[in-house]
Amino acid sequence: MRILIIEDENKTAAYLKKGLVESGFVVDTASDGNSGLLLANEYDYDVMILDVMLPGRDGWEVLSEFRRKGRNTPVLFLTARDSVQDRVKGLELGADDYLVKPFAFSELLARVRTVLRRGPVRQPDVLRIADLEVDLHAHKASRGGMKLELTPKEFSLLALLVRKCGEVLSRALIADQVWGMNFDSDTNVVDVAVRRLRTKVDDPFERKLIRTVRGVGYVIDND
Ligand code: CA
């Protein structure tokens, strides 16, 4: 079981890490929101422990960004204030539980074990739209039973469209979620990538799945 701790107070982070390692967990730590989010996106953690007040992106931004990517790792957030607004906000943004600082390590451990037992609310690993099948876990896609040979970026793009099926995704959102950066509005990298993806996903088939919404972006419909 692997845990990510995002906490900028080194003493707290070290104390939590020591306790969790002694309890048999593999623990990574990050001391600011940006590097924490990078780690969270890179690896499959079983639980994330997230401080709210962080330099760079704060815990709320990390959490909403992480969930926006469709990631469902359980998240426990740590808040310094016992405020109802904070708790509600955290849970609304997709956290699974929270602890108010200061807390006893035994309490944290109990919460970690509870969210692990509950497990993440999973999206199914294989998503289907018409005869298109996207296996998010195995990173494979097929159409009409034929395997689609996609590059990793093409797969990410397709997976995003399929996960957000029916939602028109703007170029900016696609650029952010697939490439993790903001492109100048005059670059057409997203259009080029969608065109390439279409040659594999749509061109050989009669029914076209990827639809361009002029002036807005792209969508895959399921109807
Ligand atoms: Ca902090």
Side-chain angles (χ1 to χ4, degrees), residues 60 77 79 81-91 98:
W60 302 138
F77 70 90
T79 165
R81 294 178 304 158
D82 186 8
S83 98
V84 178
Q85 283 103 311
D86 266 19
R87 274 176 269 162
V88 170
K89 183 169 185 185
L91 299 173
Y98 66 92

Side-chain angles (χ1 to χ4, degrees), residues 153-208:
K153 285 291 176 221
E154 286 166 351
F155 182 84
S156 303
L157 175 58
L158 180 64
L160 176 66
L161 287 163
V162 167
R163 272 204 309 256
K164 304 278 182 181
C165 172
E167 256 178 66
V168 181
L169 305 180
S170 70
R171 288 173 179 80
L173 184 135
I174 294 172
D176 176 48
Q177 299 223 354
V178 175
W179 286 270
M181 56 181 86
N182 298 315
F183 288 97
D184 293 340
S185 51
D186 61 346
T187 64
N188 62 350
V189 63
V190 172
D191 299 310
V192 171
V194 169
R195 205 177 306 140
R196 288 218 185 95
L197 184 64
R198 276 178 160 149
T199 64
K200 299 177 180 181
V201 173
D202 275 345
D203 288 359
F205 302 91
E206 197 176 335
R207 179 169 169 192
K208 311 302 178 198

Side-chain angles (χ1 to χ4, degrees), residues 7-9 51-55 101:
E7 164 65 271
D8 60 316
E9 289 147 52
D51 188 32
V52 171
M53 298 298 286
L54 288 170
K101 291 178 172 181

Side-chain angles (χ1 to χ4, degrees), residues 2 16 26 35 46 56 60 68 71-72 87 93 102 109 123 125 136 150 153 158 161 167 200-201 206 223:
R2 192 167 178 178
L16 294 180
V26 175
S35 58
D46 296 289
W60 302 138
R68 215 153 58 81
R71 304 292 300 267
N72 50 25
R87 274 176 269 162
L93 287 174
L109 188 60
Q123 232 183 357
D125 282 345
L136 298 173
L150 304 176
K153 285 291 176 221
L158 180 64
L161 287 163
E167 256 178 66
K200 299 177 180 181
V201 173
E206 197 176 335
D223 49 38

